[in-house]
Amino acid sequence: MNSDDPNPAGDSPFRDEPTARDEARQFVLPLVVHIEKDAPPARTDALETSARAVLTILSDERSLGDGVWAQAMRDWQDARIRKVVRRARGAEWRRAEALPGITVTGRSAEVRVFPPVPLDGWPKDLARLQVSGTDLDDPEPPAPADPAAPVLWLNPGLDMSAGKTMAQTGHGAQLAWWELSEKERIAWREAGFALSVRTADPARWRELSVSGIPLVRDAGFTEIAPGLTVAVEGHDRAGALPKRSPEAAG
């Protein structure tokens, strides 16, 4: 495991029971999704773009070693792994884009991810953004998940807003990242962090939840009671993905 990943066995940052992580100063990873009234992104694309945004900041050179964001990333990962998704449009989005961070684009979605901040220390241009109002729909049913790439399976028994679900897919992507070797991480990054987010059917979810694959257990701070939200299937396929062509870069 990479030395920049403080994820000791038996002390998962995604467990709901108290751990030593609760004693550390708490940080949050802010994500902002661009939602214009007349052109909202598709829900599944927003979920996948949020997951890729988390992977992008985890792999960014500014987050590693002596990078300018590295200490904040370490402080965040030493405590509970918290992510909060807010929405922005118009001038709000332009102000958010002016702050240090990374914008990741999907087919219809734009998500900007920022280096972690203390729970009580949000920049004012992010703190004023709304958490509510992130309900999104898919104009058409999503295509089947790509069997060659990792899949983040959502618990079918939960009813979460798109913003809450985006945070959960970000957690799942982070668990997948922690499971990979440096060589596998490089391959996944060169493949554009290809992944799928789909909702499992109930029978499939029961299989996934006892299969031994990485699982996200939400601590229950917002919207839902503590419990399983995402199953990370096929993270081991990341190292075999083909490189993304420059034309496909988004």
Side-chain angles (χ1 to χ4, degrees), residues 136-208:
L136 300 170
D137 296 311
D138 282 313
E140 299 178 356
D146 181 356
V151 182
L152 306 178
W153 293 103
L154 301 175
N155 183 341
L158 297 178
D159 183 16
M160 298 184 287
S161 68
K164 175 69 173 179
T165 313
M166 289 169 68
Q168 298 303 303
T169 61
H171 291 338
Q174 190 165 4
L175 283 182
W177 182 255
W178 280 338
E179 291 287 328
L180 301 178
S181 67
E182 189 62 26
K183 183 178 180 180
E184 291 169 325
R185 292 176 177 184
I186 292 171
W188 202 10
R189 184 173 64 243
E190 291 179 344
F193 293 124
L195 54 83
S196 300
V197 175
R198 297 292 185 271
T199 300
D201 63 51
R204 176 67 169 145
W205 178 257
R206 288 192 292 271
E207 294 174 357
L208 292 166

Side-chain angles (χ1 to χ4, degrees), residues 4 12 70 72 116 151 170 193 206 232 241:
D4 285 317
S12 170
V151 182
F193 293 124
R206 288 192 292 271
V232 181
L241 290 167

Side-chain angles (χ1 to χ4, degrees), residues 46-72:
L47 302 182
E48 294 174 346
T49 303
S50 178
R52 291 193 294 113
V54 171
L55 293 167
T56 299
I57 197 168
L58 285 170
S59 63
D60 193 279
E61 62 182 10
R62 290 167 288 185
S63 299
L64 305 173
D66 296 324
V68 65
W69 298 340
Q71 187 59 54

Side-chain angles (χ1 to χ4, degrees), residues 69-85:
W69 298 340
Q71 187 59 54
M73 294 292 285
R74 286 192 289 268
D75 289 342
W76 169 59
Q77 293 180 92
D78 279 342
R80 287 285 183 179
I81 303 298
R82 299 191 185 194
K83 301 178 181 73
V84 171
V85 178

Side-chain angles (χ1 to χ4, degrees), residues 90-148:
E92 296 172 332
W93 176 253
R94 292 190 291 275
R95 285 193 293 268
E97 282 200 303
L99 298 175
I102 306 169
T103 297
V104 177
T105 60
R107 291 177 295 278
S108 61
E110 286 183 287
V111 176
R112 189 162 180 84
V113 60
F114 303 86
V117 298
L119 281 176
D120 57 355
W122 284 68
K124 64 178 183 180
D125 284 332
L126 298 184
R128 64 177 54 152
L129 298 177
Q130 295 296 310
V131 176
S132 61
T134 58
D135 292 324
L136 300 170
D137 296 311
D138 282 313
E140 299 178 356
D146 181 356

